[in-house]
Amino acid sequence: MKATQFEFRFRVAIGFLLYVLGFWAPWDRYGSNAGSITTTWLELSGALASAHWLSLSSATILVTAIAILCALKGTIFRVWGTAYLGTAVVHDTSMHGAEVVAAGPYRYVRNPLYVGTFIFSLAVSILMPPTGAIFFLLAQAFFYLRLILGEEAYLTAQQGEAYLAYKQRVPRLMRSLRARVPASRAKPQWLTSILAESYYVSLTVCFAVLAWRYNAYLLIKCVIICFGASLVLRAILPQASKHD
């Protein structure tokens, strides 16, 4: 079930494809639901209101607040993890496994970057049609699990007992409330990490500022702009980080 080298190398392109399919939801646009495309944001709010738990206004505010919190939490995981792992490693198309990274979030969870991405995706998914959001989150979870299993197999082969000992103590996805391994001497590179994770950082700011307008189309435009800008920085930062 582990990912192939091809999947790891083109993981950004595959992730982008999942975004496109989630927003597009072609099975709705050209199926029996054509002409009635809505957003998960509106449907969730309406479902809470129709259950008589909250008014429509209060339900919309709740869904919006949860989405913003998911975006913020996911971004924190991404920035925190990248700061300790290094942008050159995070952005490389090849796997790296010279030594066990046991610093920052890696003392609490083995895959903070994937955890952060998925939590962040919960926020983005509210802008998609309901079936698109379901597809997007399930497909992303499956793809990331394959990547994790592939990386674990590679790290085990590269590091042997050192990684197996780390793997036994630190949970894969559920963050431990306390550090499970002693801290290594790795130093975080916060500024470089924030720039490297500009998509997550900038889109979180957009959600925090603009989501209260309840305009999904405006936020979808933010997704496109933030992603495009992040690709430019992504092309520059790995080269710059090698000189740190």
Side-chain angles (χ1 to χ4, degrees):
M1 189 177 174
K2 65 182 181 179
T4 62
Q5 287 289 341
F6 176 88
E7 289 173 89
F8 185 86
R9 181 177 182 181
F10 294 100
R11 62 193 184 279
V12 174
I14 294 172
F16 175 75
L17 177 61
L18 296 182
Y19 263 78
V20 171
L21 290 174
F23 278 109
W24 184 24
W27 44 85
D28 275 352
R29 296 184 183 278
Y30 303 108
S32 59
N33 294 325
S36 60
I37 301 299
T38 183
T39 64
T40 301
W41 196 357
L42 181 61
E43 292 297 317
L44 279 177
S45 301
L48 289 174
S50 63
H52 304 294
W53 293 346
L54 297 167
S55 67
L56 181 59
S57 176
S58 297
T60 305
I61 291 173
L62 177 62
V63 172
T64 304
I66 291 174
I68 293 172
L69 288 175
C70 285
L72 179 60
K73 185 172 182 179
T75 297
I76 290 172
F77 267 103
R78 290 286 316 185
V79 171
W80 194 17
T82 299
Y84 281 92
L85 190 59
T87 59
V89 174
V90 172
H91 290 172
D92 204 341
T93 56
S94 300
M95 296 184 187
H96 291 255
E99 60 182 0
V100 175
V101 178
Y106 298 94
R107 301 176 66 200
Y108 302 86
V109 61
R110 298 203 305 268
N111 298 283
L113 296 177
Y114 292 126
V115 171
T117 302
F118 187 79
I119 294 173
F120 184 88
S121 295
L122 293 173
V124 177
S125 69
I126 71 167
L127 305 175
M128 301 175 179
T131 60
I134 293 171
F135 164 81
F136 173 65
L137 293 174
L138 290 179
Q140 193 181 69
F142 179 71
F143 178 53
Y144 287 158
L145 179 59
R146 286 176 56 81
L147 289 175
I148 288 169
L149 293 176
E151 290 180 13
E152 288 182 349
Y154 176 82
L155 292 171
T156 299
Q158 292 293 311
Q159 300 172 6
E161 290 298 325
Y163 180 73
L164 290 175
Y166 170 78
K167 182 178 176 181
Q168 186 175 18
R169 299 184 64 180
V170 180
R172 174 185 284 161
L173 296 171
M174 297 298 294
R175 183 189 184 280
S176 173
L177 295 178
R178 61 181 181 84
R180 304 300 295 271
V181 292
S184 66
R185 292 179 294 178
K187 300 296 183 183
Q189 301 174 12
W190 292 112
L191 179 58
T192 305
S193 177
I194 291 171
L195 292 174
E197 301 299 331
S198 61
Y199 167 67
Y200 300 92
V201 174
S202 58
L203 191 54
T204 296
V205 173
C206 289
F207 261 91
V209 174
L210 301 176
W212 304 109
R213 296 187 181 184
Y214 307 113
N215 186 332
Y217 179 68
L218 178 61
L219 286 174
I220 290 172
K221 289 198 292 186
C222 289
V223 171
I224 297 171
I225 294 170
C226 292
F227 184 76
S230 73
L231 291 180
V232 175
L233 284 173
R234 186 183 179 90
I236 298 172
L237 284 172
Q239 299 178 7
S241 66
K242 292 177 182 178
H243 299 289
D244 291 344

